[in-house]
Amino acid sequence: MTKEQVMTTALDMFSQYGIKSVSMDDIARNTGISKRTVYEFFEDKETLLQEAIKYHNNTMRKILSELEKGPYTALDVFVLFYEEFMKHPRWYIKRYYDDLKRYPKAVEQAEKDKADFTTRCIKLLNRGGKEGVFQKDLNIEILALLAKEQLKMVQPSKAFVNHSVTEVFQTVLFTFLRGICTEKGMVILERYALKHSYDMLLRKE
């Protein structure tokens, strides 16, 4: 069991049950190692939480960087990043965010990562405007904030109980992108939308 696996397991548990209700003993049991070993990796729960948040967000940041270097438009990058994200989605309950306030170092790390993501979004949206796939006369900062809120991936309310979480967020994403695309962008987006609709249909069968 590596340090990275402990962080991933801990963050999975925190997101499902809240931070306060998950002890270091619980994490040790779920990773199949002793509590002593967990403490050899992390001096306390806040350090574990902080490093787990940083590790997860760094992983997503690396994926985004690779996509940005690829032969894609900014619109392609948005959709492909979403697809990568949804391969291993993590849904956070409200209790997680309530508990997070009790850990200032972890909050600082999370806010730092959010700011970085917002900056990356602004650059992508501006790039998409230059490429002609996104409209130019839009408030980029507001759009970046909307994208950041979407990526938080808090579980939808019970109002969406008849739909899968994947279906809900896919609908939100494509509605958002359709609202900012140019005609050139729509041609690209509809190709992805058709593929996603087909994949969703196969999952329901």
Side-chain angles (χ1 to χ4, degrees):
M1 179 61 66
T2 65
K3 182 177 179 179
E4 289 75 19
Q5 289 171 317
V6 173
M7 288 189 289
T8 299
T9 299
L11 199 54
D12 281 338
M13 295 178 70
F14 291 150
S15 63
Q16 290 181 64
Y17 309 112
I19 303 165
K20 185 179 177 181
S21 62
V22 176
S23 67
M24 296 295 259
D25 280 316
D26 295 327
I27 294 167
R29 276 195 299 273
N30 276 269
T31 52
I33 60 177
S34 67
K35 185 167 72 170
R36 178 179 177 180
T37 303
V38 175
Y39 276 109
E40 287 176 358
F41 288 139
F42 311 98
E43 61 181 279
D44 53 34
K45 188 195 282 189
E46 181 166 20
T47 302
L48 170 53
L49 175 62
Q50 179 186 3
E51 291 196 32
I53 291 172
K54 184 177 181 179
Y55 173 73
H56 173 68
N57 289 335
N58 278 345
T59 300
M60 300 312 299
R61 192 178 289 114
K62 288 176 183 177
I63 291 172
L64 182 56
S65 293
E66 288 302 311
L67 291 172
E68 288 173 331
K69 294 174 186 175
Y72 309 115
T73 68
L75 174 57
D76 288 298
V77 172
F78 268 106
V79 179
L80 292 172
F81 180 69
Y82 169 79
E83 290 178 351
E84 286 295 322
F85 190 91
M86 293 302 292
K87 287 179 181 178
H88 305 285
R90 178 176 283 112
W91 315 116
Y92 296 88
I93 63 172
K94 182 179 181 298
R95 192 182 309 147
Y96 168 86
Y97 292 103
D98 291 338
D99 291 348
L100 184 62
K101 299 171 186 176
R102 299 163 57 93
Y103 302 91
K105 291 180 182 178
V107 170
E108 183 181 355
Q109 183 64 54
E111 290 302 317
K112 179 181 177 182
D113 291 335
K114 286 180 186 178
D116 177 70
F117 178 74
T118 301
T119 300
R120 300 283 287 270
C121 272
I122 289 173
K123 288 181 179 179
L124 265 180
L125 290 165
N126 279 319
R127 172 181 154 184
K130 293 176 183 177
E131 293 169 339
V133 294
F134 293 146
Q135 300 172 39
K136 293 183 178 181
D137 58 341
L138 299 171
N139 189 316
I140 300 298
E141 290 189 11
I142 291 178
L143 292 176
L145 289 171
L146 288 171
K148 182 185 74 173
E149 290 303 306
Q150 159 70 4
L151 196 63
K152 282 169 64 176
M153 306 302 278
V154 182
Q155 280 190 323
S157 71
K158 293 180 180 179
F160 299 98
V161 69
N162 292 326
H163 305 278
S164 70
V165 174
T166 301
E167 188 176 5
V168 170
F169 282 102
Q170 180 177 305
T171 300
V172 171
L173 173 69
F174 279 87
T175 300
F176 169 76
L177 290 175
R178 284 190 178 100
I180 65 174
C181 275
T182 60
E183 289 186 14
K184 178 181 176 181
M186 284 297 294
V187 172
I188 298 171
L189 185 61
E190 289 309 311
R191 186 175 69 245
Y192 283 111
L194 183 62
K195 174 182 175 295
H196 279 243
S197 295
Y198 179 71
D199 289 345
M200 190 72 68
L201 184 62
L202 288 179
R203 282 194 290 269
K204 289 181 176 180
E205 290 182 351

